[in-house]
Amino acid sequence: MKRVMFVCKKNSARSQMAEGFAKTLGMGKIEVISSGLEASQVRPEAMPAAGYAYATMKEIGIDITDQHSKPLSDFQAQDFDVVISLCGCGVNLPPEWVVREVFEDWQLDDPAEQPEIFPRVRDEIKERVTQLLRNKVDYLTDRYSERKGKAAKQTIMIASQALEVNSNMVQTNQPNVG
């Protein structure tokens, strides 16, 4: 299963919404985690932006209240296939994060600075996550399956050739009965 990391500055709004969408829309296809260049608070009482993120997602039936802010430093880049920066912070990511199989920097507006844009940013994130799942994750999954399939075919071909060689050896070592 492909692993996706959404990264933002503080992991309090955009990346949390992206994680919520990806978990919902990609259920059973991907594993999803979000983090921030630094950890913050997602609890509404601790940070107003988080309250807006919760409310904005709840409006469309997605509950992200069980998610919490995590620092990127808690994770290893090699554990992820897809890395998405939501805030233009890709330039600040350690190099190992931007060289994953898929890296994108979406550069979305920060709704924490303008709470009235939360619904618009949420809708942009939903569209981008949908495209990501359709175009990138499915492609990566197909490529992985294709590689596994090719490897299996090669193994079968080698095994068949070995059987043929063994079969020929057995036939040539048979005594002539006549």
Short mmCIF file of all heavy atoms in Angstrom, two decimals, residues 6 11-24 32-35 40-44 50 53-54 57 62-70:
data_model
loop_
_atom_site.label_atom_id
_atom_site.label_comp_id
_atom_site.label_asym_id
_atom_site.label_seq_id
_atom_site.Cartn_x
_atom_site.Cartn_y
_atom_site.Cartn_z
N PHE A 6 1.41 14.46 3.80
CA PHE A 6 1.05 15.84 3.53
C PHE A 6 1.81 16.71 4.53
O PHE A 6 1.76 16.45 5.74
CB PHE A 6 -0.46 16.06 3.69
CG PHE A 6 -1.27 15.40 2.63
CD1 PHE A 6 -1.96 14.23 2.88
CD2 PHE A 6 -1.36 15.95 1.35
CE1 PHE A 6 -2.71 13.62 1.89
CE2 PHE A 6 -2.11 15.34 0.36
CZ PHE A 6 -2.79 14.17 0.63
N ASN A 11 1.03 22.09 10.47
CA ASN A 11 0.16 20.92 10.54
C ASN A 11 -1.08 21.20 11.39
O ASN A 11 -1.48 20.39 12.22
CB ASN A 11 0.95 19.72 11.08
CG ASN A 11 0.23 18.38 10.93
OD1 ASN A 11 0.32 17.55 11.81
ND2 ASN A 11 -0.47 18.16 9.84
N SER A 12 -1.69 22.36 11.14
CA SER A 12 -2.86 22.73 11.94
C SER A 12 -4.12 22.92 11.11
O SER A 12 -5.22 22.89 11.68
CB SER A 12 -2.59 24.00 12.74
OG SER A 12 -2.37 25.08 11.87
N ALA A 13 -4.02 23.09 9.80
CA ALA A 13 -5.22 23.35 9.01
C ALA A 13 -5.16 22.65 7.64
O ALA A 13 -5.80 21.61 7.45
CB ALA A 13 -5.44 24.85 8.84
N ARG A 14 -4.39 23.18 6.68
CA ARG A 14 -4.38 22.63 5.32
C ARG A 14 -3.98 21.17 5.29
O ARG A 14 -4.67 20.34 4.67
CB ARG A 14 -3.43 23.45 4.43
CG ARG A 14 -3.94 24.84 4.11
CD ARG A 14 -2.88 25.69 3.50
NE ARG A 14 -1.90 26.03 4.53
CZ ARG A 14 -0.95 26.93 4.38
NH1 ARG A 14 -0.80 27.55 3.22
NH2 ARG A 14 -0.12 27.21 5.36
N SER A 15 -2.88 20.82 5.90
CA SER A 15 -2.42 19.42 5.87
C SER A 15 -3.37 18.51 6.63
O SER A 15 -3.55 17.35 6.27
CB SER A 15 -1.00 19.30 6.41
OG SER A 15 -0.88 19.89 7.68
N GLN A 16 -4.02 19.03 7.67
CA GLN A 16 -5.01 18.24 8.41
C GLN A 16 -6.23 17.96 7.53
O GLN A 16 -6.76 16.84 7.51
CB GLN A 16 -5.43 18.95 9.69
CG GLN A 16 -4.33 19.06 10.72
CD GLN A 16 -3.96 17.73 11.34
OE1 GLN A 16 -4.74 16.78 11.34
NE2 GLN A 16 -2.76 17.65 11.90
N MET A 17 -6.67 18.98 6.78
CA MET A 17 -7.80 18.77 5.87
C MET A 17 -7.43 17.78 4.77
O MET A 17 -8.22 16.90 4.42
CB MET A 17 -8.29 20.10 5.28
CG MET A 17 -8.95 21.00 6.32
SD MET A 17 -9.79 22.46 5.63
CE MET A 17 -8.40 23.48 5.14
N ALA A 18 -6.21 17.91 4.23
CA ALA A 18 -5.75 16.98 3.18
C ALA A 18 -5.72 15.55 3.72
O ALA A 18 -6.14 14.61 3.04
CB ALA A 18 -4.38 17.39 2.67
N GLU A 19 -5.22 15.38 4.94
CA GLU A 19 -5.20 14.05 5.54
C GLU A 19 -6.62 13.50 5.67
O GLU A 19 -6.88 12.34 5.35
CB GLU A 19 -4.53 14.11 6.93
CG GLU A 19 -4.47 12.76 7.63
CD GLU A 19 -3.81 12.80 8.99
OE1 GLU A 19 -3.20 13.84 9.37
OE2 GLU A 19 -3.91 11.79 9.71
N GLY A 20 -7.55 14.34 6.10
CA GLY A 20 -8.94 13.91 6.23
C GLY A 20 -9.54 13.47 4.90
O GLY A 20 -10.19 12.42 4.81
N PHE A 21 -9.31 14.26 3.85
CA PHE A 21 -9.81 13.90 2.52
C PHE A 21 -9.17 12.60 2.02
O PHE A 21 -9.85 11.72 1.51
CB PHE A 21 -9.57 15.01 1.50
CG PHE A 21 -10.58 16.10 1.52
CD1 PHE A 21 -10.20 17.41 1.76
CD2 PHE A 21 -11.93 15.83 1.31
CE1 PHE A 21 -11.13 18.43 1.77
CE2 PHE A 21 -12.88 16.84 1.33
CZ PHE A 21 -12.47 18.15 1.56
N ALA A 22 -7.85 12.51 2.14
CA ALA A 22 -7.15 11.34 1.62
C ALA A 22 -7.55 10.07 2.35
O ALA A 22 -7.70 9.02 1.75
CB ALA A 22 -5.64 11.56 1.69
N LYS A 23 -7.73 10.16 3.66
CA LYS A 23 -8.18 8.98 4.42
C LYS A 23 -9.58 8.55 3.98
O LYS A 23 -9.86 7.36 3.90
CB LYS A 23 -8.18 9.27 5.92
CG LYS A 23 -6.81 9.23 6.55
CD LYS A 23 -6.90 9.52 8.04
CE LYS A 23 -5.54 9.35 8.71
NZ LYS A 23 -5.60 9.71 10.14
N THR A 24 -10.42 9.53 3.70
CA THR A 24 -11.80 9.22 3.30
C THR A 24 -11.86 8.75 1.85
O THR A 24 -12.44 7.70 1.56
CB THR A 24 -12.69 10.47 3.49
OG1 THR A 24 -12.63 10.87 4.86
CG2 THR A 24 -14.12 10.18 3.09
N VAL A 32 -2.12 7.35 5.01
CA VAL A 32 -1.95 8.79 4.97
C VAL A 32 -1.53 9.32 6.34
O VAL A 32 -2.06 8.91 7.36
CB VAL A 32 -3.28 9.49 4.59
CG1 VAL A 32 -3.09 10.98 4.47
CG2 VAL A 32 -3.85 8.92 3.32
N ILE A 33 -0.59 10.26 6.30
CA ILE A 33 -0.16 10.96 7.50
C ILE A 33 0.08 12.41 7.10
O ILE A 33 0.48 12.69 5.97
CB ILE A 33 1.15 10.34 8.06
CG1 ILE A 33 0.89 8.91 8.51
CG2 ILE A 33 1.71 11.18 9.21
CD1 ILE A 33 2.12 8.17 8.98
N SER A 34 -0.15 13.31 8.03
CA SER A 34 0.22 14.70 7.79
C SER A 34 1.17 15.14 8.89
O SER A 34 1.20 14.56 9.98
CB SER A 34 -1.02 15.61 7.76
OG SER A 34 -1.64 15.67 9.03
N SER A 35 1.97 16.15 8.56
CA SER A 35 2.91 16.68 9.54
C SER A 35 3.21 18.13 9.20
O SER A 35 2.79 18.63 8.16
CB SER A 35 4.21 15.85 9.54
OG SER A 35 4.90 16.03 8.32
N SER A 40 2.19 21.92 15.97
CA SER A 40 1.37 23.01 16.47
C SER A 40 0.24 22.40 17.28
O SER A 40 0.39 21.31 17.82
CB SER A 40 0.85 23.81 15.27
OG SER A 40 0.02 24.84 15.69
N GLN A 41 -0.87 23.05 17.29
CA GLN A 41 -2.06 22.55 17.96
C GLN A 41 -3.16 22.40 16.92
O GLN A 41 -3.30 23.23 16.05
CB GLN A 41 -2.53 23.51 19.06
CG GLN A 41 -1.52 23.72 20.16
CD GLN A 41 -1.34 22.47 21.00
OE1 GLN A 41 -2.30 21.77 21.30
NE2 GLN A 41 -0.11 22.18 21.38
N VAL A 42 -3.94 21.35 17.05
CA VAL A 42 -5.09 21.20 16.17
C VAL A 42 -6.37 21.36 16.98
O VAL A 42 -7.44 21.52 16.45
CB VAL A 42 -5.08 19.83 15.44
CG1 VAL A 42 -6.18 19.76 14.39
CG2 VAL A 42 -3.74 19.62 14.76
N ARG A 43 -6.24 21.38 18.29
CA ARG A 43 -7.42 21.52 19.16
C ARG A 43 -8.03 22.91 18.95
O ARG A 43 -7.33 23.92 19.03
CB ARG A 43 -7.03 21.34 20.62
CG ARG A 43 -6.53 19.96 20.95
CD ARG A 43 -6.39 19.75 22.46
NE ARG A 43 -6.02 20.93 23.21
CZ ARG A 43 -4.77 21.33 23.44
NH1 ARG A 43 -3.75 20.66 22.97
NH2 ARG A 43 -4.54 22.42 24.15
N PRO A 44 -9.32 22.98 18.71
CA PRO A 44 -9.96 24.27 18.46
C PRO A 44 -9.77 25.29 19.58
O PRO A 44 -9.59 26.46 19.33
CB PRO A 44 -11.44 23.92 18.32
CG PRO A 44 -11.50 22.47 18.11
CD PRO A 44 -10.24 21.87 18.64
N ALA A 50 -7.53 25.82 13.78
CA ALA A 50 -7.91 24.41 13.87
C ALA A 50 -9.41 24.28 14.03
O ALA A 50 -10.04 23.38 13.46
CB ALA A 50 -7.18 23.75 15.03
N ALA A 53 -10.84 24.59 10.74
CA ALA A 53 -10.58 23.38 9.95
C ALA A 53 -11.57 22.28 10.33
O ALA A 53 -12.16 21.63 9.46
CB ALA A 53 -9.14 22.90 10.15
N TYR A 54 -11.75 22.06 11.62
CA TYR A 54 -12.72 21.04 12.07
C TYR A 54 -14.11 21.36 11.54
O TYR A 54 -14.79 20.49 10.97
CB TYR A 54 -12.80 21.01 13.60
CG TYR A 54 -11.64 20.36 14.31
CD1 TYR A 54 -11.25 20.81 15.56
CD2 TYR A 54 -10.94 19.29 13.75
CE1 TYR A 54 -10.19 20.22 16.24
CE2 TYR A 54 -9.89 18.70 14.42
CZ TYR A 54 -9.52 19.17 15.66
OH TYR A 54 -8.48 18.58 16.33
N MET A 57 -14.52 21.03 7.68
CA MET A 57 -14.59 19.63 7.23
C MET A 57 -15.89 18.98 7.69
O MET A 57 -16.48 18.19 6.96
CB MET A 57 -13.38 18.85 7.75
CG MET A 57 -12.05 19.29 7.14
SD MET A 57 -11.96 19.07 5.35
CE MET A 57 -11.69 17.30 5.26
N ILE A 62 -16.93 15.13 7.05
CA ILE A 62 -15.65 14.48 7.38
C ILE A 62 -15.19 14.96 8.75
O ILE A 62 -15.03 16.16 8.97
CB ILE A 62 -14.57 14.76 6.31
CG1 ILE A 62 -15.01 14.17 4.97
CG2 ILE A 62 -13.22 14.19 6.75
CD1 ILE A 62 -14.06 14.45 3.82
N ASP A 63 -15.00 14.02 9.65
CA ASP A 63 -14.60 14.32 11.02
C ASP A 63 -13.09 14.15 11.15
O ASP A 63 -12.57 13.04 10.97
CB ASP A 63 -15.33 13.38 11.98
CG ASP A 63 -15.00 13.63 13.43
OD1 ASP A 63 -14.27 14.61 13.74
OD2 ASP A 63 -15.47 12.85 14.28
N ILE A 64 -12.39 15.24 11.46
CA ILE A 64 -10.94 15.16 11.64
C ILE A 64 -10.55 15.41 13.10
O ILE A 64 -9.38 15.67 13.39
CB ILE A 64 -10.18 16.11 10.69
CG1 ILE A 64 -10.55 17.57 10.94
CG2 ILE A 64 -10.42 15.73 9.23
CD1 ILE A 64 -9.67 18.58 10.21
N THR A 65 -11.49 15.31 14.01
CA THR A 65 -11.20 15.63 15.41
C THR A 65 -10.23 14.64 16.06
O THR A 65 -9.63 14.95 17.09
CB THR A 65 -12.48 15.71 16.26
OG1 THR A 65 -13.20 14.47 16.14
CG2 THR A 65 -13.36 16.86 15.82
N ASP A 66 -10.03 13.46 15.45
CA ASP A 66 -9.08 12.49 16.03
C ASP A 66 -7.65 12.72 15.54
O ASP A 66 -6.73 12.06 15.99
CB ASP A 66 -9.53 11.07 15.73
CG ASP A 66 -9.50 10.75 14.24
OD1 ASP A 66 -9.66 11.67 13.42
OD2 ASP A 66 -9.35 9.56 13.90
N GLN A 67 -7.45 13.65 14.62
CA GLN A 67 -6.12 13.94 14.09
C GLN A 67 -5.40 14.93 15.01
O GLN A 67 -6.04 15.73 15.69
CB GLN A 67 -6.22 14.50 12.67
CG GLN A 67 -6.79 13.51 11.68
CD GLN A 67 -7.03 14.08 10.29
OE1 GLN A 67 -7.73 13.49 9.52
NE2 GLN A 67 -6.46 15.24 9.97
N HIS A 68 -4.08 14.84 15.03
CA HIS A 68 -3.30 15.77 15.85
C HIS A 68 -2.06 16.21 15.09
O HIS A 68 -1.62 15.53 14.15
CB HIS A 68 -2.93 15.13 17.19
CG HIS A 68 -2.06 13.92 17.06
ND1 HIS A 68 -2.55 12.68 16.73
CD2 HIS A 68 -0.73 13.78 17.19
CE1 HIS A 68 -1.55 11.82 16.67
NE2 HIS A 68 -0.44 12.45 16.93
N SER A 69 -1.51 17.32 15.50
CA SER A 69 -0.34 17.89 14.84
C SER A 69 0.91 17.09 15.18
O SER A 69 1.13 16.72 16.34
CB SER A 69 -0.17 19.35 15.28
OG SER A 69 0.90 19.94 14.60
N LYS A 70 1.72 16.84 14.13
CA LYS A 70 2.95 16.05 14.29
C LYS A 70 4.09 16.75 13.56
O LYS A 70 3.89 17.24 12.45
CB LYS A 70 2.75 14.65 13.71
CG LYS A 70 1.58 13.89 14.33
CD LYS A 70 1.09 12.75 13.46
CE LYS A 70 0.36 13.13 12.21
NZ LYS A 70 -0.93 13.78 12.29
#
